[in-house]
Amino acid sequence: MSEASNEQERQAAATEAAQNVVDDVTAWNYSGDREIVESALEDGLAAAGVDVSEGEKERIVEEIGELKQDETRGVPDVRTAEPGDAAE
């Protein structure tokens, strides 16, 4: 397997893991205040061993918060995530 292919698979797996976290946070916390949503998202991503950029995290938190006004919006999609730093 090529190094590029392996990296793509790792990134795809990280994005899937992050999406699972977002699905759970949305299901359990979307009606909570912003701090609760942010904390649950950060804790879940850390537990899953994945990282998303600050901009991506901000967008996800905003979209989860918008569900309070319109529950038909659905769960935010994770656009990209990276495997977490093993040293952390």
Side-chain angles (χ1 to χ4, degrees):
M1 177 178 286
S2 74
E3 194 171 311
S5 177
N6 189 33
E7 183 58 31
Q8 288 174 337
E9 286 183 17
R10 289 183 71 224
Q11 187 172 12
T15 300
E16 182 178 347
Q19 185 65 56
N20 290 336
V21 170
V22 170
D23 293 349
D24 287 347
V25 170
T26 302
W28 291 100
N29 299 298
Y30 81 90
S31 63
D33 63 22
R34 181 180 178 87
E35 291 78 24
I36 290 171
V37 172
E38 276 182 314
S39 177
L41 181 62
E42 290 173 359
D43 290 349
L45 292 171
V50 295
D51 295 322
V52 297
S53 70
E54 286 302 314
E56 179 77 341
K57 200 179 303 181
E58 178 67 24
R59 180 190 62 79
I60 291 167
V61 169
E62 288 292 323
E63 288 185 19
I64 291 172
E66 290 170 2
L67 285 170
K68 290 180 200 177
Q69 285 74 41
D70 181 6
E71 292 181 354
T72 65
R73 293 179 58 95
V75 177
D77 289 326
V78 175
R79 295 177 183 153
T80 185
E82 299 289 335
D85 185 1
E88 291 184 338

